[in-house]
Amino acid sequence: MGKYFQEDIETASRETIEQWQNDGLLDVVKRVYENVPFYRKKMEAAGVTPDDIKSVEDLPKLPFLTKDDLRDAYPYDLLAIPLKDCVRIQSTSGTTGKRVVDFYTHADIDKWGNGCARAIAAAGGTSEDVCHVSYGYGLFTGGPGLNDGSHKVGCLTLPMSSGNTDRQLQFMMDLGSTILCCTPSYASYLAESIHERGIQDQIKLKAGIFGAEAWSEEMRHDIEEKLGIKAYDIYGLTEIEGPGVAFECEAQDGMHICEDYFLPEIVDPDTLEPVPDGQIGELVFTSFAKEAFPLIRYRTKDITYITREKCKCGRTHARIHRLMGRSDDMLIIKGVNVYPSQIEEVLIKQGMPANYQLIVDRVNNSDTMEVLVDMTPEMFSDTIGAIEVKEKEIVAALKSMLGIYAKVKLVEPKSITRSEGKAVRVIDKRKI
């Protein structure tokens, strides 16, 4: 266990955890009903009052909250305390509409830092480590969250932010970074850059904490092999806090939810009815410990499943499986549900780089799908015939995975823009 392992919390009995959540739910429902007119109106429309909520068993009586609700309430209408008691905001990019803004008190920031510190400790981090944070800073939650968590663990923190790969690698070598925190797509790019420069022997990384986008088990193994590290998943979203909501331990068998702060559910994305543990559905969170901006039954759109069995690491908090995608990222192509993560899985199994782009269009009222894939430098020197053979192999593998035809085109190395933040994998021209 890392130095920051909070044994009394992280190995609490299920009975204790459930009591935290029962007490927390009753408290937050009462708080928002009394202090947030937006919530009170939603609850009244659903015919429910705080008196109707006696325990977590009554959670399905409460209405869901969506990102559209957060946009409608922008900026202050979901605030549960006076603005003067808030000390920070974080925000989403706002690329698909109004920004979503989250507010924090000092206590909220402290709890957020605890979650990120637990993630770093679970990855083996201690005060002896150099934590290299390459998530974006500023309004994006990635950098500030892991930065605070690193401080709590006692690591030497390198607040690198994203971009400027030459500087990233220089500091990584000069200061002996041991833990890398960034998106998996940027980790893949850094690994590629390290090998191109031939500086593998000057890199001291032992672990990586990667999140902010869905990534496959195949991509994890690829990163681990290229960087010589153990790669850990981390989960969070701006709306309910940021990274550190859930994290992997050394078992790499699901991400432990900080259940002393959050109450998770899995619901059927179509019927919105709760589903049992182990069944795949949409992840829903209630952030009952948040003071400034608590959310009740917030639909994340992330697809996963949950288990409450004790982990072999000793932690007892519920775990969510690696994200399988987002319900709003799912593409329907020729009537078939397609997730970008499926494309990635096929490509890596075919020995291709994780950098690709999926282009969907509609021609003569029929959907078309083309996958552009970067070649490796070695492949670029192959004959045209060899490249065509590889394209046909990938076409066949995609057909086997998806059940539909996709055109595949191998392109020159690095001709697809590398991502220093969240990767842009899909261009759906049907929506343009």
Side-chain angles (χ1 to χ4, degrees), residues 6-297:
Q6 297 178 299
E7 186 170 6
D8 57 330
I9 296 173
E10 295 185 68
T11 62
S13 68
R14 287 306 310 173
E15 292 78 11
T16 297
I17 292 171
E18 288 164 9
Q19 190 60 56
W20 291 338
Q21 295 179 336
N22 276 327
D23 294 345
L25 179 63
L26 269 58
D27 171 69
V28 75
V29 168
K30 186 173 185 292
R31 280 195 289 129
V32 300
Y33 190 84
E34 293 177 350
N35 299 314
V36 186
F38 190 98
Y39 262 122
R40 185 162 59 248
K41 183 177 179 181
K42 283 186 71 73
M43 290 171 66
E44 288 173 348
V48 62
T49 71
D51 292 339
D52 298 315
I53 309 302
K54 309 296 185 185
S55 73
V56 170
E57 298 299 318
D58 295 318
L59 193 58
K61 296 179 181 178
L62 292 163
F64 290 101
L65 201 69
T66 67
K67 184 166 280 191
D68 284 340
D69 288 322
L70 270 60
R71 289 178 176 135
D72 290 343
Y74 174 89
Y76 295 128
D77 287 354
L78 281 171
L79 200 58
I81 61 172
L83 186 60
K84 67 181 180 61
D85 295 328
C86 300
V87 297
R88 188 195 294 181
I89 69 159
Q90 302 287 161
S91 175
T92 59
S93 63
T95 54
T96 57
K98 282 185 181 178
R99 289 181 179 272
V100 170
V101 177
D102 193 358
F103 295 82
Y104 303 77
T105 64
H106 282 296
D108 292 335
I109 291 173
D110 185 57
K111 293 167 188 169
W112 180 17
N114 285 341
C116 290
R118 292 175 192 175
I120 293 170
T126 72
S127 58
E128 301 295 322
D129 282 293
V130 178
C131 191
H132 190 112
V133 183
S134 294
Y135 287 110
Y137 278 69
L139 289 172
F140 180 60
T141 56
L146 270 301
N147 193 90
D148 288 354
S150 176
H151 289 172
K152 281 179 175 283
V153 174
C155 302
L156 174 62
T157 309
L158 305 187
M160 299 300 299
S161 194
S162 57
N164 200 332
T165 298
D166 287 338
R167 184 176 63 186
Q168 299 272 358
L169 298 181
Q170 189 67 55
F171 271 74
M172 197 177 287
M173 291 186 294
D174 293 348
L175 295 174
S177 304
T178 55
I179 298 175
L180 173 64
C181 305
C182 63
T183 62
S185 55
Y186 193 46
S188 181
Y189 179 41
L190 287 172
E192 183 179 286
S193 299
I194 287 168
H195 280 264
E196 284 179 351
R197 290 164 171 78
I199 56 174
Q200 298 94 310
D201 61 339
Q202 300 178 59
I203 301 298
K204 298 180 180 179
L205 292 175
K206 67 176 187 180
I209 300 174
F210 307 133
E213 60 189 23
W215 52 309
S216 65
E217 195 66 21
E218 287 74 19
M219 188 172 185
R220 182 217 294 273
H221 294 321
D222 187 60
I223 292 172
E224 287 183 330
E225 181 180 350
K226 289 178 178 175
L227 286 179
I229 64 172
K230 194 164 183 176
Y232 296 84
D233 209 348
I234 188 170
Y235 177 82
L237 60 170
T238 301
E239 296 92 313
I240 63 171
E241 181 183 79
V245 172
F247 56 88
E248 276 190 323
C249 64
E250 61 267 28
Q252 293 180 312
D253 187 25
M255 292 178 280
H256 293 274
I257 300 166
C258 292
E259 286 195 280
D260 48 332
Y261 302 146
F262 305 103
L263 175 57
E265 301 174 79
I266 301 290
V267 302
D268 184 299
D270 296 319
T271 67
L272 300 184
E273 292 297 319
V275 301
D277 290 357
Q279 185 170 324
I280 295 171
E282 180 181 336
L283 182 60
V284 174
F285 271 117
T286 296
S287 52
F288 61 83
K290 195 82 182 289
E291 292 182 339
F293 203 74
L295 301 187
I296 296 177
R297 303 199 82 195

